[in-house]
Structures are given as C-alpha cells and as structure tokens.
Amino acid sequence: MAHSSENERRHEDAQAHIRATVMNEICEVMHKTGLPPMVVMCLVAQAVGSIYRETADAHSGPSACGCGWRPHEGSDVDVLCSALLVACTRRQRRDLMTMQIAGRA
Ligand SMILES: [Zn+2]
C-alpha cells in the first residue's frame, strides 16, 4: 500500500512542521513577553479556534470556497477537542523531540 504510506508520511511531515513552528513561536512569545506557559498556550488554543471559525465561514454560504469541504460544527469541534486531549496525554516519540531544550525555556 504505497499510496497509504505516502499519505501517512505527508501527514507526519505536516504534523512535525506545524509542531516545530508553533513551538518556536511559543518560546519566542514567552521570552519577549514574560507571559507564563499556560497563558501563551491558551492563546494558541484560541488562535486555533478562531482559525477554525474563519475557515468554516469561508466554506459556508453563497460565496463558499470551491474546494468542496463543508464544516460540520458539532463534530468538527469534537474532533478538535479530542485531538487536544489525546495530544496532552501522549508523550512525543524521541525522534520528534527536536525542540526539547527550547521547550523548557
Ligand atoms: Zn476550501
């Protein structure tokens, strides 16, 4: 199943890219503002929520994006919440912990 492992690899690459980018920004904001980790992480969670809102709005109504995706708010929000819950309780594999030191800053 070359196709499905290709998809899996692209998914993992995207996940690693987003994680490293967000980790970088969190560290930079903590250093610049002196805000504690939970305050900054709440800002990240709020940003994801408002990005969902904006994306869902852009895919609804008469001028909806033509890509074909349509939001299903109840289940989409459930999916986002469980992604957060699962990730909060699962430790990263060693090879993904590239920002280990920065993460403690
Ligand atoms: Zn679209």
Side-chain angles (χ1 to χ4, degrees), residues 52-65 69-73:
Y52 172 79
R53 178 73 273 138
E54 192 174 326
T55 306
D57 288 347
H59 287 82
S60 311
S63 55
C65 172
W69 180 74
R70 292 293 176 263
H72 301 280
E73 287 199 21

Side-chain angles (χ1 to χ4, degrees), residues 9-43:
R9 195 188 55 75
R10 273 194 302 174
H11 187 273
E12 278 173 16
D13 286 352
Q15 186 176 41
H17 172 82
I18 286 174
R19 186 179 190 278
T21 303
V22 174
M23 176 71 93
N24 249 344
E25 296 302 320
I26 285 174
C27 292
E28 197 182 319
V29 167
M30 283 195 298
H31 279 130
K32 276 187 181 164
T33 64
L35 290 170
M38 264 314 284
V39 172
V40 177
M41 281 189 268
C42 278
L43 297 176

